[in-house]
Amino acid sequence: MTDQSPLTHEQISDIRNRLADPKTSAPQLREIALQLLADSNHWYTEADSWRESYRLAKGMSDDELNALIAISEATLMHPRPCRFPDTPDCTCPDAA
Ligand SMILES: [Zn+2]
């Protein structure tokens, strides 16, 4: 996990197993949590940098880019059988 590449499904599954294992000690849990925090911070920083590059390339303000993202999310088609945005009501099973 220290090479800062995205976690694979196997690694995620391994982490889940270690967290669920009663033999995993508190310092080991702490180490897992700190590693995940570092990874998360790395990928958020990376995403922010790409976002800023895109914004500058398009000559957009921060508000304009935020609006573009909001519009894109609001009009994104949901997986079937949900018919959003063709119908205004989202019927996705995990919708809050
Ligand atoms: Zn939906």
Side-chain angles (χ1 to χ4, degrees), residues 31 45-46 59 64 69 82:
E31 187 192 318
T45 304
E46 189 98 329
E64 284 169 329
I69 293 167
C82 180

Side-chain angles (χ1 to χ4, degrees), residues 78 82 84 90-92:
H78 290 191
C82 180
F84 190 88
C90 171
T91 58
C92 289

